[in-house]
Amino acid sequence: APAAALKDEL
Amino acid sequence: MNVFRLAGDMMHLLSIVVLLLKITGIKSCRGISLKTQELYLLVFITRYLDIFTNFVSLYNTVMKLVFLGTSSAIVYYMRYDRIIKLTYDKEQDTFKYLLLVAPSAVLALATSHVYTVLEVLWTFSIYLEAVAIMPQLVLLQRTQNIDNLTGNYVFLLGSYRGLYILNWIYRFFTEKHYRQWLVWTCGVVQTIIYCDFFYYYFLSWQNNEKLALPA
C-alpha cells in the first residue's frame, strides 16, 4: 500500500 | 502554500464561477455534462468527510465548503431548475457512471493505505477525480457550436490540474517528506486526459475560430 498522503491539499 | 498551488486553486474556483455564471446567467446548461458534475460532487463528498475532524487551515476549510456548496448548487440547477433542466442534453450525455465509479472503488479497496472508511473513501475520491471529466469531454465532442463559456470552463479545470502538478514538483524538491505516489499518478493521468482538448482549444484560439472537437 502507498504511504499515507499528506491531506493538506484540496 | 506555494504560488502554483494557490494559482491552481484559483483556477478551480474560477472554473466553477464561469460554469455558475453560464448556468444562472443565460439560464442554460447546454453542453455541460450532468454526469461529470455529479461525479465531482461525489468526489468532494467522499474526500472532505474529514472537514471537521482534520483541521488544516481556515483557507482549506472554507474552500472545501465552497466546493461542496457550489457543486451541489450546479447539480441542483441542472436537475431541478424549471427552466435550466430543459436545456440539458440528456440524450447526448450517455457515459456510464459505473464505468468510472466501479474501477475507482475496486482500486481504492485494493490500494488504500489503511482500511478505515474515511481512508478508503478518500482514496476512492482521488481515483474518481482523475476520470470524472470524461463524460464532459465525450459530450463536448458531440456538441455542435460549443459556446465560449463551456470551452473556458473545461480549459480552466485543465489549468487547475496542470498547476497542481507544478505544485507537486515544487513540493517534492522543497519538502523532505513529500512522497505521494498515488496522488501524483492520478494527477498526471487526469492531466493527460485533457491534452487532446487543450490541443484543439489552442488551435481554435490561434485561428480565431469557434472551438470544435473532432468526433
Side-chain angles (χ1 to χ4, degrees):
Chain A
L6 283 169
K7 295 191 175 67
D8 61 352
E9 290 177 348
L10 301 164
Chain B
M1 184 160 64
N2 62 66
V3 65
F4 303 112
R5 155 86 197 277
L6 182 64
D9 286 349
M10 290 307 112
M11 288 290 172
H12 195 181
L13 200 58
L14 202 59
S15 75
I16 294 169
V17 169
V18 164
L19 183 54
L20 273 170
L21 275 179
K22 173 187 156 85
I23 292 178
T24 59
I26 60 179
K27 295 256 169 213
S28 162
C29 61
R30 202 179 147 266
I32 299 297
S33 166
L34 177 61
K35 301 207 166 170
T36 283
Q37 296 306 320
E38 287 178 340
L39 290 173
Y40 278 139
L41 180 57
L42 186 58
V43 165
F44 291 140
I45 290 171
T46 50
R47 187 172 305 166
Y48 298 155
L49 282 173
D50 66 351
I51 188 162
F52 296 112
T53 56
N54 175 29
F55 182 79
V56 176
S57 64
L58 185 63
Y59 171 85
N60 267 35
T61 304
V62 169
M63 289 294 270
K64 287 176 179 180
L65 288 171
V66 167
F67 287 149
L68 284 165
T70 48
S71 57
S72 309
I74 291 165
V75 168
Y76 174 82
Y77 280 129
M78 291 185 71
R79 270 180 168 268
Y80 305 111
D81 185 276
R82 188 167 54 84
I83 298 166
I84 295 167
K85 71 178 180 188
L86 299 175
T87 61
Y88 168 50
D89 305 314
K90 195 175 180 174
E91 290 73 30
Q92 306 264 52
D93 193 16
T94 54
F95 208 99
K96 295 273 175 285
Y97 294 102
L98 207 61
L99 223 56
L100 304 177
V101 173
S104 301
V106 170
L107 279 170
L109 284 168
T111 64
S112 187
H113 171 58
V114 282
Y115 288 92
T116 60
V117 174
L118 245 62
E119 191 68 24
V120 172
L121 286 176
W122 180 86
T123 312
F124 168 76
S125 81
I126 297 291
Y127 287 119
L128 188 61
E129 188 190 358
V131 292
I133 193 66
M134 290 176 86
Q136 179 63 68
L137 291 175
V138 169
L139 181 59
L140 273 192
Q141 278 192 338
R142 294 176 177 166
T143 308
Q144 303 293 312
N145 290 314
I146 300 167
D147 61 61
N148 285 335
L149 285 173
T150 306
N152 289 336
Y153 165 68
V154 179
F155 174 74
L156 287 166
L157 261 185
S159 308
Y160 142 65
R161 295 315 310 179
L163 284 160
Y164 254 64
I165 289 181
L166 296 180
N167 155 53
W168 296 331
I169 294 170
Y170 180 85
R171 292 188 73 175
F172 182 86
F173 288 111
T174 55
E175 289 174 42
K176 262 205 165 95
H177 301 289
Y178 193 71
R179 303 279 185 278
Q180 313 213 69
W181 304 117
L182 170 77
V183 175
W184 291 344
T185 310
C186 290
V188 170
V189 167
Q190 186 174 358
T191 311
I192 290 171
I193 293 173
Y194 283 94
C195 282
D196 188 60
F197 169 84
F198 274 125
Y199 174 75
Y200 291 104
Y201 184 86
F202 281 117
L203 212 64
S204 78
W205 177 68
Q206 208 169 33
N207 300 336
N208 220 354
E209 286 168 353
K210 253 191 129 53
L211 175 64
L213 302 184

